[in-house]
Amino acid sequence: MAGPLEEEVIRKRLLVEGDGGSDDRRIMSLVKTFIRWCGATQLSQEEREATYQKMLFTLAQCEFSFKKTEAVMEMNKREMDRYEQLYRDIETSIRDTQQRIASYRDELKRSKVIQRHRQEYDALAKVIQQHPERQQTERRMGRSEARLARLMETRALLEGQLGQRRRQFHLLFHSLHQLQACLSSPGPEGDVAMDTS
């Protein structure tokens, strides 16, 4: 990129030369004509007036070319400013777009996590649906506990009866042994022995 000094030189040269450099020739021609006009004393008044008008016309052409070049330069400056603003706007738009992409990426990650949680929830819900409800399970447990309590009572009752039957059976065996012992002993002494026991 050209420095400020180079830009100033180029701008002045464009102002002087115009589009094709013909202004430089016009100015040189104007200067020569002006010098001849000033130094020419043998010209008639009409020739002097025609030369003067020719110099004014050439000067007007140079001024027009200068103003045209100045207008083109001003337009180019405005265009350059507009392009710089457009460049800044595009950079801002790119940054904003990158930020939006980053936020959309984060939102996508969150959405994926939420979707995964929903899928896990649905899987758990299916598993839960396969099992009975809590109240139903509690009622079944209550009935099972009541049945267990009745069975425990029945067991205790049966164990008590079994213990009593064992004692009775033991007593019966004991009595049977004594009776057998009495029967196997001869005579009245066995009767006496039985009475004492």
Side-chain angles (χ1 to χ4, degrees), residues 9-197:
V9 169
I10 292 171
R11 188 164 56 87
K12 284 185 179 178
R13 187 164 183 196
L14 280 174
L15 286 175
V16 171
E17 290 180 3
D19 288 336
S22 61
D23 288 340
D24 195 21
R25 287 190 302 270
R26 279 190 205 133
I27 291 173
M28 292 306 285
S29 172
L30 179 63
V31 169
K32 287 178 185 176
T33 306
F34 180 70
I35 292 172
R36 267 187 282 137
W37 182 72
C38 290
T41 53
Q42 59 269 46
L43 292 175
S44 68
Q45 183 63 23
E46 289 177 4
E47 290 176 336
R48 287 174 70 94
E49 186 62 32
T51 305
Y52 177 72
Q53 290 301 325
K54 184 180 175 187
M55 285 191 304
L56 284 178
F57 180 72
T58 305
L59 187 60
Q61 282 182 331
C62 288
E63 283 180 354
F64 175 75
S65 180
F66 175 77
K67 288 186 181 191
K68 179 181 164 188
T69 303
E70 196 174 49
V72 168
M73 192 174 77
E74 183 63 32
M75 184 190 70
N76 286 341
K77 183 180 181 303
R78 282 195 309 267
E79 282 295 308
M80 198 163 84
D81 291 344
R82 191 171 72 85
Y83 285 136
E84 285 177 359
Q85 181 62 40
L86 187 62
Y87 178 75
R88 286 191 297 270
D89 291 346
I90 289 171
E91 279 186 335
T92 303
S93 176
I94 288 171
R95 278 195 305 272
D96 292 345
T97 303
Q98 287 173 340
Q99 289 173 352
R100 277 197 311 255
I101 288 171
S103 69
Y104 290 153
R105 190 176 294 131
D106 293 341
E107 187 175 328
L108 179 65
K109 286 179 184 176
R110 285 192 300 271
S111 296
K112 284 182 178 180
V113 168
I114 289 171
Q115 184 180 11
R116 190 178 74 236
H117 288 169
R118 282 184 183 157
Q119 289 172 346
E120 290 172 0
Y121 169 78
D122 289 342
L124 284 174
K126 286 178 184 177
V127 169
I128 289 170
Q129 288 297 327
Q130 292 173 354
H131 296 287
E133 294 180 3
R134 177 181 219 135
Q135 290 93 3
Q136 184 181 0
T137 305
E138 287 175 352
R139 282 193 299 267
R140 285 176 57 198
M141 281 179 55
R143 286 193 300 265
S144 296
E145 287 174 355
R147 184 171 176 221
L148 181 63
R150 285 193 307 270
L151 288 174
M152 294 291 277
E153 288 175 9
T154 305
R155 180 180 176 185
L157 182 66
L158 288 175
E159 283 179 352
Q161 286 177 354
L162 181 63
Q164 184 179 3
R165 298 279 189 245
R166 276 186 188 152
R167 285 189 299 276
Q168 288 173 353
F169 189 68
H170 184 61
L171 183 62
L172 180 65
F173 262 146
H174 183 61
S175 297
L176 223 109
H177 281 300
Q178 282 182 350
L179 184 60
Q180 221 177 18
C182 275
L183 287 177
S184 49
S185 64
E189 299 151 359
D191 288 337
V192 174
M194 194 172 166
D195 285 341
T196 57
S197 12

